[in-house]
Each structure stands twice: as structure tokens, then as C-alpha cells.
Amino acid sequence: MRTFSKVYGLAGLRIGYAIGDTPVLEAMNRLRTPFNLTGVSQAAALAALDDAGHVNRSIQENAAERAKLTKGLSALGLRPVRSHTNFIFIDIGQEAQELCDELLHEGVIVRPLGWMGFPMPCASPLASPKKRSAAGSDEPLARQTRRQK
């Protein structure tokens, strides 16, 4: 799935698209709320499609930040799933909600995905280096890694 949030800077408008196998797309569509896009959101998305320079810079930045975050998470002993998106999937285990809460207090937003049928993992969105450094230390993730051993 490619989302407009990181590539186009339209995170608050909740715009994205997906290309995939029919059963997967049908399952995703069942999670979608009715009337989930406003006319303003749709107009902004159409305008963003014409800004190729911004899109290319965003894709390059995403790739660089994804590589740094993956390397950092791996160095902590976690096993992030290989990604081509603007987030990284990490199987945290049963303490996913607790870790997500700890990270939120550090200024880092991650989501537990147990509600989607996964066995308690987290999805970690990519953040700019400025946002990551402002968020504080890797200590909550390091503690989680120690708990899993």
C-alpha cells in the first residue's frame, strides 16, 4: 500500500491507495468507513499528484529513514519485517500495548496491531531525523528486547 501521508505530506487527510490481490483488498475495504474522504481531501490529493519533484524527494527520504530505522531496530535485537512502505512492522510480542504506551510518552507514535489479527505486533511509522531525535532515547525498545530474552 502506498499512502499519501509521507510521500505527499497529506497525513491529516487520510488518503491512500492499495494495489493487491482481490481477497486482501476486499478485507481492507471492509475496514474502511463510509464517506471516509472529503471533497477537500480529494482535491488536495489530485493536486499533490502533479508535484513529481516533491514525490521523488519524499521517496528518497523514506528509503533512507527506513534503512536507518531498520538498522537501529536490528541493533537492538528486534526483527523488523522488510518494508517498502512508510512504516516498519515489528513483532513485539504480548507486551506490544505496554511498549506502545511507553514510546508514546517518549513522543514516538506506534500502533499495536492485535486488532487486525496479528499476534500483538507494532507498526512504527517513519519519522524525520528531527522528530526522532526530539523523541528521546531508544530505552523503551531496549527494555523490550531484554524482556524477550
Side-chain angles (χ1 to χ4, degrees):
M1 175 188 282
R2 170 179 259 172
T3 62
F4 279 61
S5 59
K6 184 67 174 170
V7 174
Y8 295 97
L10 302 174
L13 299 179
R14 312 309 296 167
I15 296 174
Y17 66 89
I19 299 171
D21 293 330
T22 300
V24 173
L25 297 176
E26 287 173 347
M28 290 173 63
N29 196 40
R30 283 193 295 274
L31 297 172
R32 183 181 57 84
T33 59
F35 311 111
N36 60 338
L37 290 179
T38 67
V40 173
S41 296
Q42 292 175 39
L46 290 172
L49 290 172
D50 290 331
D51 192 350
H54 174 74
V55 169
N56 289 330
R57 286 187 304 277
S58 294
I59 290 170
Q60 290 172 1
E61 180 183 312
N62 261 355
E65 294 307 312
R66 186 173 49 246
K68 287 179 192 174
L69 185 56
T70 298
K71 183 177 179 180
L73 292 168
S74 297
L76 289 171
L78 298 169
R79 294 184 309 268
V81 175
R82 186 169 181 227
S83 175
H84 296 282
T85 66
N86 63 342
F87 67 91
I88 294 177
F89 182 87
I90 314 156
D91 188 351
I92 298 298
Q94 295 301 315
E95 297 84 15
Q97 184 63 57
E98 179 183 333
L99 178 64
C100 291
D101 293 343
E102 284 183 62
L103 288 169
L104 183 60
H105 290 303
E106 296 270 339
V108 178
I109 300 171
V110 294
R111 291 192 178 123
L113 298 177
W115 66 272
M116 292 181 74
F118 295 105
M120 300 308 286
C122 285
S124 175
L126 300 178
S128 67
K130 183 177 178 181
K131 284 184 183 176
R132 276 206 321 268
S133 64
S137 72
D138 291 329
E139 186 53 33
L141 286 168
R143 279 195 303 272
Q144 177 63 29
T145 303
R146 289 191 294 270
R147 281 184 215 135
Q148 288 180 339
K149 291 183 179 178

